């Protein structure tokens, strides 16, 4: 049995004083972790001050090891301050920062070389779903990102399905939409990697809250969640954790 994962994606939120407060409230609660894994993806400047709490990772990195890349952070640098994993292919990076398929594949390959775990995000825009092309679109996104990813490295991989129209909007995909997509992703992974693909966690993301978490976690093939807005308050995040 694989552990369920609840991951907080703070995005570009919280100043240092707020992080210290978050940490205090977090520590005042009980996070019983049997069969579950908690992860925090803060802005990279806070990784060091959080990494004794749980698994802490980075929202972004650059695929080169070092060199003249002003403003960028490498995997080796992140690992040196305790980052345990990274997020790749979040839709905000694809759209706002123009990360294309080629860059995403390079990032996947960099994780393989550095033996670093990663969450690979995928998700369709509203118009693609309206056209009924969502399954094909996600299949293409994942196949492209993983085309050079070998079976021996499966332990590094977590997938997060995050429909763009549900991120930060308060709209959540319905149970049947989530189950359909997660099942399709599982089938694709089984096709690509055989039976061992059953162990790859597939998370859902997009306006997960304490109110809808139970229903989402009961959907077929949902192995946890990547949570943005509702992870900024540790009490609310804890309510989601309790339902995982
Ligand atoms: P949200 O963000 O929970 O605020 O919708 C999820 C994400 O983008 O990872």
């Amino acid at each position: 049995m694989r552990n369920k994962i609840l991951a907080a994606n703070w995005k570009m939120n919280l100043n240092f004083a707020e992080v210290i407060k978050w940490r205090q409230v977090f520590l005042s609660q009980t996070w019983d972790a049997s069969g579950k894994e908690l992860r925090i993806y803060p802005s990279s400047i806070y990784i060091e001050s959080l990494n004794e709490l749980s698994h802490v990772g980075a929202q972004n990195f650059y695929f080169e090891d070092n060199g003249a890349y002003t403003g960028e952070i490498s995997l080796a640098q992140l690992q040196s301050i305790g980052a345990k994993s990274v997020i790749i292919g979040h839709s905000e990076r694809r759209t706002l920062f123009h990360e294309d398929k080629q860059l995403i594949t390079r990032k996947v390959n960099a994780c393989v070389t550095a033996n670093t775990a990663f969450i690979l995000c995928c998700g369709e825009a509203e118009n693609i779903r309206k056209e009924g092309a969502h399954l094909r679109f996600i299949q293409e996104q994942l196949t492209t990102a993983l085309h050079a990813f070998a079976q021996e490295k499966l332990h590094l991989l977590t997938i997060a399905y995050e429909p763009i129209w549900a991120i930060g909007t308060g709209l959540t995909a319905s149970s049947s939409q989530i189950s359909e997509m997660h099942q399709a992703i599982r089938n694709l992974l089984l096709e690509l990697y055989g039976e061992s693909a059953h162990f790859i966690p597939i998370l859902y993301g997009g306006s997960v809250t304490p109110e809808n978490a139970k229903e989402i976690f009961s959907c077929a093939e949902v192995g946890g969640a990547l949570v943005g807005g509702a992870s900024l308050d540790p009490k609310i995040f804890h309510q989601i954790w309790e339902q995982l």
Side-chain angles (χ1 to χ4, degrees), residues 7-9 11 87 90-92 121 162 166-171 204-209 226-231:
N9 174 13
K11 310 192 180 187
I87 298 177
H90 191 284
S91 63
E92 284 151 20
C121 299
E162 301 200 300
I167 295 179
T169 57
L171 295 173
Y204 171 79
S207 301
V208 176
T209 63
L226 183 56
V227 182
S231 71

Side-chain angles (χ1 to χ4, degrees), residues 68-174:
Y69 304 104
T70 301
E72 294 299 325
I73 309 180
S74 72
L75 279 176
Q77 290 175 317
L78 290 166
Q79 282 168 333
S80 74
I81 56 163
K84 295 204 174 58
S85 65
V86 289
I87 298 177
I88 301 178
H90 191 284
S91 63
E92 284 151 20
R93 297 223 52 93
R94 292 184 198 250
T95 50
L96 300 173
F97 301 99
H98 313 293
E99 291 201 2
D100 59 11
K101 293 175 188 173
Q102 214 179 15
L103 180 60
I104 288 164
T105 307
R106 282 181 150 156
K107 288 182 163 194
V108 169
N109 296 344
C111 280
V112 169
T113 307
N115 218 25
T116 303
F118 61 99
I119 298 180
L120 175 62
C121 299
C122 59
E124 81 287 356
E126 196 175 14
N127 63 318
I128 293 171
R129 181 162 281 273
K130 280 193 175 141
E131 286 162 18
H134 48 288
L135 295 179
R136 205 163 3 101
F137 181 85
I138 297 300
Q139 188 171 35
E140 213 269 325
Q141 253 187 354
L142 292 176
T143 323
T144 313
L146 295 172
H147 82 265
F149 186 73
Q151 188 163 12
E152 314 76 84
K153 297 292 179 179
L154 281 191
H155 59 283
L156 300 178
L157 176 64
T158 296
I159 305 279
Y161 168 59
E162 301 200 300
I164 296 175
W165 46 272
I167 295 179
T169 57
L171 295 173
T172 330
S174 68

Side-chain angles (χ1 to χ4, degrees), residues 10-69:
W10 287 359
K11 310 192 180 187
M12 198 176 73
N13 290 300
L14 305 184
N15 63 30
F16 190 53
E18 289 164 339
V19 170
I20 298 303
K21 179 86 193 130
W22 193 99
R23 198 174 168 282
Q24 248 169 26
V25 179
F26 176 91
L27 287 170
S28 70
Q29 285 157 318
T30 310
W31 300 82
D32 170 25
S34 51
K36 309 196 270 193
E37 183 185 331
L38 183 96
R39 297 188 184 187
I40 308 168
Y41 294 88
S43 297
S44 293
I45 51 170
Y46 304 135
I47 288 172
E48 223 181 334
S49 49
L50 294 165
N51 67 18
E52 93 284 10
L53 291 188
S54 81
H55 174 130
V56 178
Q59 296 170 19
N60 186 34
F61 68 99
Y62 194 57
F63 62 86
E64 294 286 1
D65 290 339
N66 49 52
Y69 304 104

Side-chain angles (χ1 to χ4, degrees), residues 6 26 46 93 123 161 163 182 187 189 193 201 205 213 223 226 232 239:
L6 186 66
F26 176 91
Y46 304 135
R93 297 223 52 93
Y161 168 59
H182 278 241
N187 292 345
L189 296 171
Y193 301 110
L226 183 56
L232 296 173
Q239 289 170 26

